[in-house]
Each structure stands twice: as structure tokens, then as C-alpha cells.
Amino acid sequence: MGCIEELTYEVLAKGLTFQECREFIAKLCPRVYHIEPGTKLFGEAIIGPPPIAVGTDGVFLIFPYVKPCHETFVLKVEDPGEAARLATFAKPAPKK
Amino acid sequence: MTEAEEKKALVVLGCPEVPVQNSLAVFTAYQLRKNGYSPLIAGNPAVMKLLMTSDPEKHYISTMTTLEKAVEDITDKGEKYELCLAFAHSDAGISYAATMRYLLPEARFITIVFGKEAEAIAKLIEYEGETIVEVAVHNPMSLRKKMSEVLGWAVSKN
């Protein structure tokens, strides 16, 4: 079990394709960043085709989480430190 | 061929719910070794248990790792592979394959798409590389034939 599954999280969406997760996060979050596959959040490499959209809403991170047997989930985790860290290295997603 | 001369191959496996994957993984490991590769099999714990059960004395599959560790070994330790074969029968499988494609830009990369929805799943691929697509669920023979053709493995009648 990965570190992310040990966090307190809310499942915002499930059963979406990765592309649909990207669009879901882009619509939902005030700030959206793009990260590369394999970039770590909460100490765990994030999986998915690039660009991987990760959103923040204040102290919350919203991101896709892929499990091989369970498709992709969009998770929401409260972590001001990780949200601040994300802003230091991730590229802001282009505005649509 | 000595171990030092062997080329490295990474075989990425998806959820084991489609029966052909397990037998094709053993067959792939066999063919890779026969063709001078040292294969590392990456999968989830259920995949590894199935393979350990299929090949208890490790005649074909000598090294296995979790998908997470395979990714970390590339990102953190700079592990490289000459060849990567990614099996996928779902959107999640394509996400893992896409991640490996991104992390291994220099590798020969082949995505093997199978299962009932193979043709629809193959349309989710957004990255470059070779793709083998076959609606294979229980019978591995047609997919085995396609893989052997693409990879230059001698076709066996066995």
C-alpha cells in the first residue's frame, strides 16, 4: 500500500479516464499545475500520461491517483505544506 | 552470453484480471532471456503472486518488483532499459504505460493492449511507440503470434 492510501482523503471522482480526470481538476480548482509522470506527492510517484494536472484550493491538493485494478480516482487531501511545496516546483497550467 | 552483456528489459504488467496476461508474462520472460535480455517484471502484489505460483523455481522469471518501485528506481536511481513492454487492458494500464514511456524515452517501447475492450483502450494512447492490439481474453495464441512477429521471436508450434 502506498503512502497516499494512508492519508486522510476525500474521493471527489472515480471511474473517469485519465483525460476526464485532467479536465475535472482543471474545472474544479482555482489553481492548477502540471507535473511530470513520476513526480512525487506525499512521497509517492504520481502515475499518468503527461501532463498530470494537480490542483490546489487553499490548503487542499486535488490530484489523480491511479490504481491498477481500480482505474483512476481524483483525491482531495488537506496538507498546507505539500500545497506550498507544489507551488515551488510545478508549472502553472496554461489558462484556457 | 554473460550477465554483464545482457540487455535490460522491463515488463510492466497491469491488473491480473484478464487471464492471458499471466501466461504471456511467463512466455515473454522466457523469450526475452532466450534473446539475450535480463527481464525485470513489474506488477502489483497479486500479479507477483500469480507469477511466483506459475514459475516456482524461477526458470523464466527471476526478478520481479512492484510498479511503484520500478518507477522509483528509474526516477531516483536512474535505472535504464533497452526495451520496455507494457501490458494494458484498461485506462489505468495505459496510465502506467504512459508513465514508463515518459520516464524511458530512449527505450524501444511496445504497448501490448489486450482484453475485451482492446481497440477502445488502444485509442487512449497519446504517446509514441509501437503498439500491439488484440482482443484476447482467455486464448493467448493470437497475441503471442503478434508479439513474436513484432519482437522477432521465432514462432513455436508448442
Side-chain angles (χ1 to χ4, degrees), chain A residues 7-90:
Chain A
L7 301 170
T8 301
Y9 57 79
E10 181 184 349
V11 177
L12 299 183
K14 59 184 175 181
L16 305 180
T17 65
F18 202 88
Q19 173 65 25
E20 289 166 341
C21 289
R22 196 183 285 148
E23 291 164 4
F24 179 90
I25 291 167
K27 280 184 188 169
L28 181 74
C29 300
R31 288 189 181 181
V32 180
Y33 299 90
H34 281 169
I35 63 172
E36 298 170 352
T39 302
K40 288 185 180 174
L41 288 180
F42 306 103
E44 189 169 333
I46 300 300
I47 300 301
I52 299 176
V54 178
T56 59
D57 187 355
V59 296
F60 293 95
L61 270 87
I62 295 95
F63 58 97
Y65 184 62
V66 181
K67 290 192 71 176
C69 293
H70 301 275
E71 304 297 331
T72 304
F73 300 85
V74 177
L75 302 184
K76 181 177 181 181
V77 175
E78 183 176 0
D79 190 323
E82 195 68 343
R85 191 181 73 84
L86 176 73
T88 64
F89 69 84

Side-chain angles (χ1 to χ4, degrees), chain B residues 1 16 25 27 30 39 51-52 55 59 61 67 69 83 93 98 101 103 107 110-113 117 119 131 135 146 154:
Chain B
M1 182 174 282
F27 176 73
Y30 159 73
L51 292 174
M52 279 190 278
D55 184 18
H59 290 297
I61 296 166
L67 293 163
K69 182 145 190 330
L83 173 66
R101 167 74 288 185
L103 297 176
I110 304 174
T111 310
I112 299 154
V113 189
E117 308 295 330
E119 284 158 12
T131 307
V135 183
K146 278 190 180 177

Side-chain angles (χ1 to χ4, degrees), chain B residues 10-69:
Chain B
L10 176 65
V11 180
V12 180
L13 299 177
C15 172
E17 68 183 348
V18 180
V20 294
Q21 180 176 268
N22 191 68
S23 62
L24 285 168
V26 176
F27 176 73
T28 298
Y30 159 73
Q31 286 289 1
L32 287 172
R33 290 179 69 164
K34 195 174 156 188
N35 286 276
Y37 284 92
S38 170
L40 172 66
I41 312 287
N44 70 12
V47 165
M48 291 199 283
K49 285 172 190 165
L50 282 163
L51 292 174
M52 279 190 278
T53 305
S54 303
D55 184 18
E57 294 192 357
K58 299 184 178 178
H59 290 297
Y60 306 110
I61 296 166
S62 53
T63 50
M64 289 191 285
T65 190
T66 62
L67 293 163
E68 293 81 5
K69 182 145 190 330

